[in-house]
Amino acid sequence: YGSDVLPRAGERDEMAACLEAAKRHGIEVHVWRINWCMSGGDAEIRERFLSEGRCMVSVTGKPMTEDPATGFSLWMCPSHEGNREIEKQAMLELTRRYHPAGIHFDYMRFPSRDYCYCERCRAKFEEAYNVKVENWPADCFAGGALFDDFKQFRKDLQTSLVREIVQESRDIDPSVKISLAARSALPGAPDNDGQDWANWCKEGLLDFVCPM
């Protein structure tokens, strides 16, 4: 589609064609975007982001290049301001340019509790909680003294961006419904993946959810 934020796969605006056809047949289109995950994306951009330290790092200290638990590789780290801006603007331009019936978050989370433990996440966590992590990452992983605080930090990274996107999308077009492909396990979703979707619903950030 005609994105000014993401690389284009071809010149034809398939989004516009889809929306026009759907309108003729009385079908709602809810645009489904995959967030953070770069699997299958442009190889040059993936390599550049990896070299720039913009991708998630596991608790073992290794950049995420292949995760056998999920089958996905290379997720953008949500503590990187540039990554957050890409996600935000990519979602907002769908509302601004196309005004579909809805926009749909997917993978607005961490892939598992093993991510992200990059040095930027450490620095931002220390700043947010006014602490010095002496034993990184053990103090912030399961059983560590700061584990509960770090879990909340991870949730806050996701929640704060969702809140920004939703508020600005509704300013652009309040008729566009906002939904999420929600991790079904509670409390596993917020604790392991940082996807605190039950509270997103309570806050009114989501019009509906699609539990997986």
Side-chain angles (χ1 to χ4, degrees):
Y1 65 97
S3 177
D4 294 326
V5 180
L6 304 172
R8 300 188 189 188
E11 293 302 315
R12 186 181 178 203
D13 192 333
E14 302 287 357
M15 186 75 71
C18 173
L19 287 164
E20 191 278 330
K23 184 177 181 179
R24 283 190 282 113
H25 294 281
I27 298 171
E28 288 190 5
V29 175
H30 295 254
V31 184
W32 176 12
R33 273 212 68 242
I34 292 179
N35 309 112
W36 303 130
C37 182
M38 300 176 69
S39 296
D42 183 276
E44 183 177 338
I45 295 176
R46 287 168 47 145
E47 287 303 313
R48 175 164 60 85
F49 275 39
L50 186 60
S51 68
E52 292 175 354
R54 296 177 63 163
C55 298
M56 292 190 195
V57 173
S58 78
V59 70
T60 65
K62 297 179 180 179
M64 185 180 181
T65 54
E66 192 67 44
D67 187 340
T70 63
F72 294 121
S73 64
L74 287 187
W75 288 45
M76 296 191 297
C77 174
S79 73
H80 189 287
E81 290 302 326
N83 293 347
R84 294 174 70 84
E85 188 65 13
I86 286 173
E87 283 299 336
K88 178 178 174 178
Q89 296 306 326
M91 296 296 284
L92 289 178
E93 77 171 350
L94 295 172
T95 299
R96 184 181 297 110
R97 178 167 295 182
Y98 296 102
H99 300 274
I103 55 175
H104 183 72
F105 291 107
D106 196 4
Y107 299 110
M108 184 53 80
R109 58 181 175 84
F110 293 89
S112 72
R113 70 174 186 166
D114 293 340
Y115 300 93
C116 177
Y117 288 86
C118 68
E119 286 300 318
R120 181 181 49 256
C121 280
R122 176 183 184 173
K124 287 185 176 291
F125 170 70
E126 289 179 332
E127 179 183 5
Y129 282 81
N130 194 28
V131 295
K132 180 67 177 176
V133 183
E134 300 295 340
N135 187 18
W136 175 261
D139 285 350
C140 294
F141 197 59
L146 297 171
F147 182 49
D148 288 341
D149 286 343
F150 196 70
K151 283 194 298 184
Q152 187 60 49
F153 168 75
R154 293 166 78 247
K155 285 187 281 189
D156 289 344
L157 281 175
Q158 304 288 350
T159 299
S160 60
L161 183 59
V162 168
R163 187 181 292 122
E164 282 185 37
I165 293 170
V166 170
Q167 290 173 348
E168 294 190 33
S169 178
R170 287 174 176 163
D171 285 343
I172 297 167
D173 186 346
S175 72
V176 175
K177 300 181 183 73
I178 298 169
S179 59
L180 169 78
R183 297 280 269 185
S184 60
L186 288 175
D191 285 350
N192 293 333
D193 307 332
Q195 189 184 78
D196 199 11
W197 63 263
N199 280 320
W200 298 353
C201 290
K202 291 175 183 177
E203 190 177 330
L205 298 177
L206 302 172
D207 293 296
F208 63 93
V209 294
C210 302
M212 295 185 293

